[in-house]
Amino acid sequence: GDALRVVVHLDLDAFYAQVEAVRRGLPQHEPLAVQQWDAVIAVNYAARARGVTRHLRVPQVLAMCPEIRLVHVDTIPLEPRPDDGDAVLSAAQIPQAGRRERSKVSLAVYREASEKIMDLLADESRA
């Protein structure tokens, strides 16, 4: 039965930052942090090397590392716009994307990336 069963724990360090770097075609050596509202929630290795850590506020991060690329997590407007319904929007698409009172966070992009990784692991484990 389960004698051949193997359980694997895989911790993907700075996952959100890695997803955003791949999604945006950014080089690994460029400092990058993912923000949710005014807080940093993921930091790549290049930013860590400059002292940036999770849970810092955006102004602190900018003071420590002015060249950092800050990427806000995608959001969903709480009040649908007539032209796009309740579509997921990136922070660059609408002015209120980074405003907590007008939107909620969408983790869809990270879930999709996670599913791709799980599919790859499942495929490799059958090989």
Side-chain angles (χ1 to χ4, degrees):
D2 288 340
L4 299 177
R5 181 175 179 212
V6 175
V7 176
V8 175
H9 173 83
L10 182 65
D11 182 8
L12 300 173
D13 200 26
F15 180 66
Y16 285 18
Q18 290 186 61
V19 169
E20 293 297 347
V22 168
R23 180 179 175 198
R24 299 165 190 283
L26 302 175
Q28 290 182 354
H29 67 272
E30 182 176 325
L32 171 93
V34 178
Q35 73 179 91
Q36 181 174 326
W37 317 126
D38 188 38
V40 169
I41 61 171
V43 180
N44 74 357
Y45 291 112
R48 289 179 190 182
R50 290 163 176 83
V52 178
T53 61
R54 288 177 22 176
H55 308 299
L56 292 177
R57 298 289 180 202
V58 169
Q60 292 173 286
V61 170
L62 290 171
M64 297 171 75
C65 186
E67 72 277 16
I68 196 164
R69 173 78 65 101
L70 288 168
V71 177
H72 196 285
V73 295
D74 288 348
T75 62
I76 301 169
L78 293 177
E79 296 176 12
R81 296 176 357 158
D83 57 336
D84 60 17
D86 61 351
V88 174
L89 303 168
S90 71
Q93 290 176 298
I94 58 169
Q96 72 265 26
R99 297 185 61 184
R100 186 179 305 209
E101 67 274 8
R102 294 191 184 164
S103 56
K104 65 181 181 178
V105 169
S106 170
L107 302 179
V109 120
Y110 310 115
R111 287 188 185 114
E112 290 170 13
S114 179
E115 286 175 18
K116 288 179 184 177
I117 292 166
M118 296 316 227
D119 289 346
L120 175 68
L121 291 171
D123 291 346
E124 291 299 316
S125 69
R126 288 189 278 274

